[in-house]
Amino acid sequence: MKTYILGLSCYSHDSSATLICDGEIIAAAQEERFTRIKLDKCFPRNAVAFCLRFAGISLCEVKKVFYYEDPEEKFKRIMSTAFASGWAGVRSLFFDIPTWLFDKLYVKRKLSNELKGFSSTIPCIEYISHHRSHAASAFFPAPFEKALVLCIDGVGEWDTTTAWKGEGGRLTKIWETRFPHSLGLLYSAFTHYCGFEVDTDEYKLMGLAPYGEPIFYEQIMSHLIHVADDGSFTMDMDYFDYATGEKMTSPQFNALFGGPPRAPESELTQREFNLAASVQSVLEEVVLRLARHWQMQTGLKTLCLAGGVALNCVVNGRLARADIFERVWIQPASDDCGGSLGAALSGCYEVMGQKRVVNANDSMKGCYLGPAYSSDEIRLFLLSQQCKFTELMPQKLCSEVAEILSQGNVVGWFQGRMEFGPCSLGARSILGDARKAKMHSAINLKIKNRESLRPFAPAVLKQHAGEWFYAVKSSPYMLFAHPVCKQKRLALTESQSTKSGIQKLCEVRSQIPAVTHVDCSARVQTVDGVYNPLFYQLLSAFNQQTGCPLLVNSSFNMCGEPIVESPQDAYRCFMRTAMDYLVLGNFLLSKRNQPHWQERADLAQYPRD
């Protein structure tokens, strides 16, 4: 008899649901994709419904439900921190206590009430601690029988950074750092100080770093954070306000770096670039020290990573090239949306004692774990909107789209099961020709409506990755930044000052400028065709026609919106932007042939059985 387990993550950042069966990951999705509310933190009703529908089961067939953190332990941390912080802590408790006493402490009751909408028989609900959920999401799907696991984020219940030893179906915690000392919150403090939004814009800070110089590195290391040779660290909380206050930084922090935080949306200056470069360098140094120390202590030759900081692809690239470990595997849904996956896997192996089987690739199925739409469903939608389209067989479709891309057009690509996690990996993607210098600004400004300095990622045929990027082995989830190979770089040129304040002399250009960042690196996705053969076929067709085995691969969404989930979402994004073509399954649409677009809320949606 099959054993189904449901994992849930909600009420904090990015809610999600995951369903596993006898250790196999069956389905996983984020609630934001269905509600169209970015980082929706509500109970993942739509994601749960999808998981059950995909498996063809009802909730009463689910053995247990596991939630990704323990609210009781979290409440203890908040109380302890408040009482240790004097009057400021008492003041913060005054506002926080009612919410906790009447709502946040009773997660099991809230979950039970929500699940009653699916069945009158509610499975047993258990808590898995936050960092154990992260560790489980990193280790159990990894292609390793045993590994060192590092989890680095803002904060769970108490933990902010943990090291684990994973072997078989067990995880053993071997080290921890507790709140308020946190690498994730240090990085978030600089995100806030540079005028960006905490918990959502840390990747922007990472993107700014190459435009600056780490001139504040010593100030950070001597004042804000004290790091031992083994990577353990403490932070001077006089410079921070996040423990009990309403801000990330204190007046002492502002004084140390020469003034108040940058106002959001104001002009970026060299100070922000240098601050970003400095805190990025600090983060890389601490993570490398931690990795070296715990590799020496454990003797383990493989590393797994999770937690929000594990999405920092520059740190990950440094780790991969440092040769501390033979292999590094990172959970593609490393942020809190992956908590549902980790909770389910920990429950499966550590609570229910099921046997773990290691997959030689990994157990994530390419991260294609979300909904898919049939040709009949897509055709029905297109006809209802009076769309003009051409239906093509896969080989002809890839050949035509490759030619369209080579002509400088931007294509929305909607195929198969939706990705789980923050990255588009060829199922819900916006594609372009990486050789075109103007492609970067065309997608950023005309389609994504975001800052022009933000880099794009290349999706490259795995067998050709080493010809274009240094030290690439396998990077299917777009989680490692690697330098562009020297033979693919062009002559150095002087860049000009821009309205955003960027001025970088001797900017390196490459043969693929649309995906080459200012430091001549790129966030690489390697494609081997195992889990997404059509995307592999498209890249192969493009390579055959152009001699270039890679494309720009950006998430299929506008700035501030979740990645598209349905054909309706994709068509809406297509018509709202300057995208040239849209591919929905086997259907090819040209913008110039479509009926006049009129914005409306009732764009046809079809219920799914």
Side-chain angles (χ1 to χ4, degrees):
M1 186 174 180
K2 294 182 177 180
T3 301
Y4 288 97
I5 294 170
L6 181 65
L8 296 175
S9 166
C10 51
Y11 306 137
S12 182
H13 294 301
D14 188 3
S15 67
S16 68
T18 298
L19 185 71
I20 66 174
C21 177
D22 297 330
E24 180 188 358
I25 305 169
I26 301 299
Q30 293 135 275
E31 184 69 5
E32 66 164 18
R33 306 293 172 85
F34 304 96
T35 63
R36 312 308 301 157
I37 301 171
K38 185 73 171 175
L39 299 176
D40 193 340
K41 65 181 181 180
C42 295
F43 176 80
R45 174 177 298 277
N46 295 283
V48 171
F50 153 69
C51 289
L52 297 176
R53 181 175 65 245
F54 185 84
I57 64 170
S58 61
L59 183 65
C60 63
E61 296 173 76
V62 172
K63 186 73 172 179
K64 279 194 176 182
V65 175
F66 292 94
Y67 183 70
Y68 83 122
E69 67 180 9
D70 186 338
E72 295 170 9
E73 285 298 311
K74 195 172 185 178
F75 181 61
K76 290 177 186 176
R77 186 253 298 169
I78 291 170
M79 292 287 289
S80 177
T81 302
F83 284 126
S85 302
W87 173 243
V90 173
R91 186 174 57 215
S92 71
L93 271 185
F94 179 79
F95 295 102
D96 289 342
I97 284 289
T99 306
W100 275 95
L101 291 181
F102 294 104
D103 181 42
K104 291 184 177 181
L105 269 175
Y106 307 105
V107 169
K108 286 184 181 179
R109 184 173 67 188
K110 291 173 66 177
L111 294 177
S112 293
N113 289 336
E114 293 284 1
L115 291 171
K116 286 177 183 176
F118 295 92
S119 172
S120 58
T121 304
I122 307 301
C124 175
I125 300 171
E126 293 190 25
Y127 297 144
I128 303 293
S129 71
H130 190 92
H131 265 238
R132 183 171 289 276
S133 293
H134 275 318
S137 76
F139 175 64
F140 292 132
F144 312 136
E145 177 61 32
K146 56 183 178 179
L148 174 68
V149 184
L150 290 177
C151 299
I152 310 171
D153 66 358
V155 61
E157 294 86 2
W158 289 92
D159 295 338
T160 68
T161 308
T162 52
W164 305 72
K165 186 175 181 179
E167 186 167 3
R170 303 297 301 174
L171 281 161
T172 304
K173 188 195 291 188
I174 55 178
W175 175 79
E176 66 183 27
T177 289
R178 288 192 157 200
F179 186 84
H181 310 288
S182 168
L183 289 176
L185 291 174
L186 172 69
Y187 206 84
S188 291
F190 278 87
T191 301
H192 158 77
Y193 190 69
C194 289
F196 300 115
E197 188 174 347
V198 170
D199 288 335
T200 60
D201 288 346
E202 281 75 8
Y203 66 96
K204 294 183 182 180
L205 196 71
M206 179 181 69
L208 286 187
Y211 291 99
E213 300 296 335
I215 63 174
F216 299 110
Y217 178 91
E218 292 300 331
Q219 283 175 266
I220 297 171
M221 292 290 267
S222 60
H223 291 85
L224 304 188
I225 184 169
H226 307 287
V227 186
D229 291 341
D230 63 3
S232 60
F233 59 92
T234 57
M235 291 165 59
D236 188 338
M237 297 310 297
D238 288 342
Y239 291 94
F240 303 94
D241 193 44
Y242 60 73
T244 56
E246 297 180 355
K247 298 179 180 178
M248 292 300 297
T249 59
S250 70
Q252 290 94 317
F253 187 106
N254 301 348
L256 181 65
F257 296 108
R262 166 182 168 261
E265 306 302 326
S266 64
E267 181 177 323
L268 286 164
T269 69
Q270 195 61 43
R271 182 181 77 149
E272 283 76 50
F273 304 141
N274 293 339
L275 285 165
S278 301
V279 73
Q280 178 67 34
S281 294
V282 168
L283 180 64
E284 292 171 24
E285 178 62 26
V286 179
V287 173
L288 285 170
R289 289 190 196 182
L290 281 170
R292 287 194 185 97
H293 172 75
W294 287 108
Q295 194 285 320
M296 292 176 62
Q297 290 293 309
T298 63
L300 293 167
K301 297 179 180 180
T302 51
L303 172 68
C304 301
L305 290 175
V309 174
L311 294 175
N312 191 304
C313 62
V314 179
V315 171
N316 300 340
R318 283 283 308 275
L319 262 177
R321 295 191 299 277
D323 290 329
I324 301 169
F325 298 90
E326 291 180 359
R327 293 181 68 187
V328 178
W329 191 88
I330 301 167
Q331 168 54 238
S334 274
D335 52 0
D336 279 3
C337 79
S340 65
L341 171 64
L345 290 170
S346 179
C348 173
Y349 298 121
E350 299 189 286
V351 177
M352 302 183 70
Q354 292 192 300
K355 181 176 175 59
R356 175 176 176 246
V357 178
V358 178
N359 186 304
N361 291 313
D362 62 44
S363 300
M364 291 296 296
K365 300 181 178 178
C367 236
Y368 305 112
L369 299 168
Y373 288 79
S374 69
S375 292
D376 288 343
E377 288 177 302
I378 296 172
R379 184 186 294 105
L380 181 62
F381 165 72
L382 293 175
L383 291 173
S384 74
Q385 304 303 307
Q386 300 180 330
C387 299
K388 304 297 182 183
F389 59 86
T390 303
E391 185 173 5
L392 300 167
M393 296 300 289
Q395 185 174 354
K396 179 66 173 175
L397 177 72
C398 290
S399 178
E400 289 209 15
V401 173
E403 184 176 355
I404 286 167
L405 287 164
S406 70
Q407 294 168 355
N409 294 295
V410 179
V411 176
W413 180 259
F414 181 102
Q415 298 288 346
R417 296 185 68 181
M418 181 179 67
E419 303 92 340
F420 179 57
C423 294
S424 288
L425 301 170
R428 306 288 188 272
S429 292
I430 293 174
L431 306 177
D433 187 346
R435 302 170 303 162
K436 310 288 186 183
K438 294 182 179 180
M439 184 60 61
H440 180 274
S441 59
I443 296 178
N444 256 336
L445 300 179
K446 295 182 180 180
I447 297 173
K448 307 289 279 190
N449 295 324
R450 67 183 197 183
E451 305 93 332
S452 61
L453 55 85
R454 303 256 295 276
F456 288 115
V460 58
L461 292 170
K462 184 179 178 180
Q463 66 267 31
H464 292 290
E467 302 165 15
W468 292 81
F469 306 101
Y470 175 71
V472 175
K473 296 177 183 177
S474 178
S475 180
Y477 302 122
M478 208 183 281
L479 290 170
F480 297 90
H482 290 292
V484 176
C485 290
K486 290 183 179 179
Q487 63 267 29
K488 301 300 182 183
R489 302 181 190 180
L490 304 178
L492 301 181
T493 60
E494 281 197 358
S495 62
Q496 301 295 317
S497 297
T498 70
K499 292 181 180 179
S500 60
I502 301 167
Q503 187 174 18
K504 185 89 171 180
L505 297 181
C506 296
E507 182 180 355
V508 180
R509 296 295 185 186
S510 79
Q511 295 178 28
I512 44 172
V515 294
T516 304
H517 206 15
V518 68
D519 61 352
C520 213
S521 70
R523 181 166 56 101
V524 181
Q525 178 196 1
T526 56
V527 181
D528 61 11
V530 175
Y531 295 110
N532 193 339
L534 193 67
F535 193 40
Y536 181 86
Q537 192 173 345
L538 174 64
L539 286 165
S540 298
F542 188 79
N543 184 41
Q544 187 174 13
Q545 292 181 21
T546 67
C548 180
L550 59 89
L551 290 167
V552 175
N553 182 10
S554 182
S555 57
F556 199 154
N557 65 316
M558 294 174 62
C559 185
E561 292 187 348
I563 294 170
V564 300
E565 183 271 324
S566 67
Q568 292 87 346
D569 299 333
Y571 185 73
R572 185 185 294 110
C573 184
F574 171 58
M575 295 304 294
R576 283 176 173 175
T577 66
M579 215 177 301
D580 301 300
Y581 289 83
L582 173 64
V583 179
L584 295 173
N586 291 334
F587 303 94
L588 175 63
L589 291 79
S590 170
K591 174 68 68 64
R592 63 177 176 268
N593 294 334
Q594 300 312 305
H596 175 70
W597 172 251
Q598 189 171 6
E599 195 73 36
R600 64 188 193 276
D602 63 339
L603 189 63
Q605 296 280 352
Y606 294 96
R608 313 203 63 191
D609 296 330

